[in-house]
Structure formats: C-alpha cells, structure tokens
Amino acid sequence: MVIDLATRFEPKIVGFLCRWCAYTGADLAGLSRINYPPNITPIRVNCSGRVDPTLVLKALATGADGVLIAGCHPGDCHYINGNAKTIRRFKLLQRLLQQFGIEKERVRLEWVSASEGGRYARIVESMTEEIRSLGPLNWKKEMAIAA
Ligand code: FES
C-alpha cells in the first residue's frame, strides 16, 4: 500500500507536560535523538494536577485534534498528590468529552518519568496514529456553525 504523504492527515496534538517528569522525558527523547512524529506541541506545566479540564477543552476548541496530559508516575509527583488530582479530573473530563460528542481517545493521560524518553516517543507515536485514524476533530468549525 502506498501512502500519499502530501495529502495524509497530520493531527495537531497539544501536550500538557509536567515540568519535573514528562517534559524532562520529552527533552531526553530529543537529546537521545529518538525519532517520533512532530505532531505534538508541548506546553510545560508545573504539575499535571494544574491542567484544568477547561484548558483541554480550549485546546480542542481552538484547533487541536487531540490532547496529551502527561505527568510523573503515581507516587512521584513533586507536589505529593497533584497527579492523584489529575486522575480524578481526567474521569470528569472524559464525561465532558462524551457529552460534547468527542471521542475519548482524543485525550490521553499518561505517566512519563524524566528518564523515559523512549516511552514518551512511543506515546506520541501511538497517539498520532490513533488520532490520524479518527480523522480531524473540526470542533472549532462545528462550534462556529452552532454559534
Ligand atoms: S509534579 Fe509531575 S505530576 Fe505533579
């Protein structure tokens, strides 16, 4: 099968990465020259627990096809229980996505330590492929039509 790279859909993914673990893991992936798709725009946050669901919805409403929230592994959060809060918020977020008719696969929560550059690259790769198979979200366009 021949893939036409010129017309292939390239998902736009926004990544909210906790600075202590996931962002450093992403940095390590780059420093280690691990190849992964360039579809993600990383945004450094202090803790995954600071990622309010409204930030995720705003990213989707302004053109992102998917959002990755990545933080320290459970038990490793630098603010003790920030990622425990993330888990609770993520469940709420999934319900909100369902109400808006957005596939839950478009938003992922993952744990990446500072030494897991390879894991970060694999997550971005699998997320890019999964969202590519779902197609563009076009939520921005739909919201403009509804307004
Ligand atoms: S500091 Fe990384 S998830 Fe809280």
Side-chain angles (χ1 to χ4, degrees):
M1 187 174 112
V2 179
I3 298 169
D4 183 359
L5 294 178
T7 57
R8 185 171 74 162
F9 163 58
E10 290 298 339
K12 289 189 230 53
I13 300 170
V14 171
F16 292 106
L17 312 179
C18 126
R19 67 181 296 184
W20 301 103
C21 293
Y23 195 87
T24 312
D27 236 4
L28 180 63
L31 287 170
S32 311
R33 297 175 183 242
I34 300 171
N35 278 327
Y36 64 91
N39 301 64
I40 189 161
T41 302
I43 296 173
R44 192 172 66 174
V45 294
N46 267 343
C47 173
S48 66
R50 297 304 304 268
V51 182
D52 190 278
T54 57
L55 289 175
V56 175
L57 294 175
K58 189 172 182 182
L60 296 172
T62 53
D65 300 299
V67 174
L68 170 66
I69 304 166
C72 309
H73 285 271
D76 289 345
C77 175
H78 283 238
Y79 303 97
I80 318 289
N81 60 0
N83 51 11
K85 192 188 286 180
T86 311
I87 293 170
R88 291 195 299 272
R89 279 185 170 169
F90 189 69
K91 287 178 186 159
L92 170 71
L93 180 59
Q94 285 188 311
R95 283 206 300 270
L96 280 173
L97 293 173
Q98 198 180 15
Q99 285 174 6
F100 285 119
I102 297 172
E103 300 93 342
K104 65 178 175 35
E105 293 80 11
R106 291 188 185 273
V107 180
R108 267 202 209 179
L109 172 61
E110 297 281 356
W111 311 123
V112 178
S113 78
S115 63
E116 292 180 317
R119 175 173 161 73
Y120 176 77
R122 287 193 304 277
I123 288 168
V124 174
E125 197 171 274
S126 79
M127 198 171 172
T128 302
E129 286 314 313
E130 190 164 27
I131 295 175
R132 182 175 284 131
S133 71
L134 290 174
L137 178 58
N138 284 331
W139 204 36
K140 186 178 178 181
K141 208 162 89 188
E142 283 177 28
M143 297 221 341
I145 291 167

